[in-house]
Amino acid sequence: MYRIWILSAVAALGQPANFEREIAAEATHTHTFRADANQFVLITAHQLQGHVDITLHAPGETLTAESNRTYNGGYERLAWISPTGGEFKLEIHRPAKTSALYRLEIEIREADAKDKTRAAAYRTICQDVPALKKKQ
């Protein structure tokens, strides 16, 4: 297991690694990282000040997952088993008209049985929460 703490890019790609980053109003930050097939990937965007959304694209720009569950404070999280290896693109978006501060954590490891259950649960949460918000 290994953890990668990033600000502007993943350290494993030779880019500077940092813990936190400010994001301007209505801006999007793009981060890339590599994962092999069948690895468990856990992405957490800690919302230190303000709210951010996260969107993940698999190699080939295919939308893999997105999270927009919480608002100021808390965190956005995605968990999944990488179906293919390659370079993934993660977008952090600040939808509001003021800046925000976030800390990004990406954990990549070999998947075990518990990780498969965890990934399925997060997939359900990410798919069902927007539908619940629309009903309210």
Side-chain angles (χ1 to χ4, degrees):
M1 174 177 68
Y2 55 96
R3 287 182 185 250
I4 305 170
W5 292 87
I6 65 178
L7 167 58
S8 59
V10 174
L13 297 178
Q15 301 295 324
N18 296 294
F19 298 103
E20 299 177 353
R21 185 166 187 194
E22 185 173 359
I23 185 168
E26 300 176 329
T28 300
H29 291 169
T30 301
H31 308 279
T32 59
F33 64 92
R34 293 194 59 77
D36 294 332
N38 300 312
Q39 285 188 312
F40 175 72
V41 180
L42 179 65
I43 298 172
T44 306
H46 300 273
Q47 300 169 132
L48 305 176
Q49 179 183 20
H51 172 69
V52 296
D53 305 331
I54 58 177
T55 304
L56 180 69
H57 298 273
E61 297 296 316
T62 305
L63 177 65
T64 300
E66 53 189 347
S67 180
N68 180 14
R69 301 178 304 117
T70 61
Y71 292 93
N72 293 336
Y75 57 87
E76 296 292 343
R77 180 171 280 165
L78 296 175
W80 86 102
I81 307 296
S82 177
T84 62
E87 188 170 292
F88 290 78
K89 182 173 78 173
L90 177 66
E91 295 176 337
I92 308 291
H93 178 68
R94 172 66 174 159
K97 297 187 182 297
T98 58
S99 64
L101 181 66
Y102 67 91
R103 184 178 73 233
L104 190 58
E105 177 183 352
I106 299 177
E107 181 179 337
I108 303 170
R109 65 174 183 257
E110 293 304 315
D112 62 22
K114 289 182 181 180
D115 291 330
K116 292 176 183 178
T117 301
R118 185 178 293 117
Y122 271 101
R123 189 170 46 252
T124 300
I125 290 169
C126 290
Q127 290 170 352
D128 291 347
V129 168
L132 291 173
K133 285 182 179 179
K134 288 179 183 176
K135 289 181 182 179
Q136 295 177 351

